[in-house]
Amino acid sequence: MLFRSLVLLSAPGRPIDALIDEQLRRLLVRQKAKPVDAEYFMKENARITQAIKTAGVVPKDVPAGLRALYPAYLGKFLHSEMAVDPSAIARRVSCPVLVVIGEKDAQVSPERDARRLEQALAGRKGSVHRLVVVPGASHNLKMVKSDADAGFVGPLAAAAEEAIRSEEHTSELQSPCNLVCRLLLEKK
């Protein structure tokens, strides 16, 4: 399918296993895990990830502390997701691309993911792209009041809405096939 333009909202620039690893590492720090426990869970996460990448199956012996991340029924899904490198895909897209991410995004890193996408997009022939990092916005592109605020409630951050409605991408966003973006903007 050919696109006239593409808008990526809070999109990762790295494979999902890298995101899970980073999020787990941060969670262990926030929970003040003992170094020996943190090392154990990170090694187990690496073992589980490798099993999923290799066989498409979640191992039966997932430690209790990681079972919420790796339920058995997600093996095939995670296998397919871990095979995807979003930046490699971005390099193959030929249309204009707008990347919008919240500065306070706890799931996807503006520094590591958005910048990686931007570099991939910049390497395209005749590249037309724009990266917008929304100050103070969460993964959901809503304003956060503090570091403890996940940014689930409230309106879409004004800077995010402005970027999405930008002149360069407006015509494509108004077409019926882009209902998700339209609903996001109209849900005020």
Side-chain angles (χ1 to χ4, degrees):
M1 176 181 260
L2 297 175
F3 300 100
R4 284 183 277 181
S5 64
L6 177 64
V7 178
L8 301 174
L9 303 176
S10 302
R14 300 171 287 161
I16 194 169
D17 52 309
L19 296 177
I20 292 171
D21 184 85
E22 181 177 280
Q23 290 175 11
L24 179 58
R25 196 173 302 281
R26 277 197 322 256
L27 178 64
L28 291 166
V29 168
R30 245 189 349 262
Q31 292 180 340
K32 298 181 173 122
K34 295 177 186 171
V36 66
D37 293 334
E39 182 180 351
Y40 168 76
F41 281 113
M42 293 312 298
K43 281 184 179 177
E44 283 297 296
N45 185 64
R47 178 185 67 83
I48 294 163
T49 298
Q50 188 57 45
I52 292 169
K53 288 169 128 179
T54 303
V57 176
V58 174
K60 294 185 186 305
D61 61 343
V62 173
L66 295 176
R67 284 189 197 136
L69 282 174
Y70 299 110
Y73 65 86
L74 281 183
K76 288 184 190 280
F77 170 75
L78 288 171
H79 180 261
S80 65
E81 285 294 304
M82 289 177 184
V84 174
D85 181 349
S87 292
I89 293 171
R91 277 190 287 280
R92 296 192 311 259
V93 174
S94 59
C95 63
V97 179
L98 170 65
V99 179
V100 183
I101 188 168
E103 173 194 35
K104 301 287 186 176
D105 192 325
Q107 283 76 41
V108 177
S109 166
E111 295 82 22
R112 287 173 293 289
D113 292 291
R115 301 289 180 225
R116 187 169 176 199
L117 281 173
E118 183 180 41
Q119 288 172 348
L121 292 167
R124 302 175 308 154
K125 183 179 180 184
S127 175
V128 175
H129 70 280
R130 185 166 61 120
L131 169 62
V132 177
V133 179
V134 181
S138 69
H139 182 72
N140 300 312
L141 299 174
K142 297 175 184 253
M143 297 305 293
V144 296
K145 295 170 182 60
S146 70
D147 287 343
D149 181 4
F152 291 133
V153 297
L156 189 65
E161 184 172 348
E162 182 180 314
I164 295 165
R165 289 185 184 274
S166 69
E167 187 65 34
E168 183 177 353
H169 300 279
T170 300
S171 62
E172 186 64 18
L173 286 173
Q174 298 306 320
S175 67
C177 67
N178 293 301
L179 185 58
V180 173
C181 286
R182 288 182 62 208
L183 288 175
L184 178 68
L185 292 171
E186 292 169 3
K187 194 176 181 181
K188 279 188 145 185

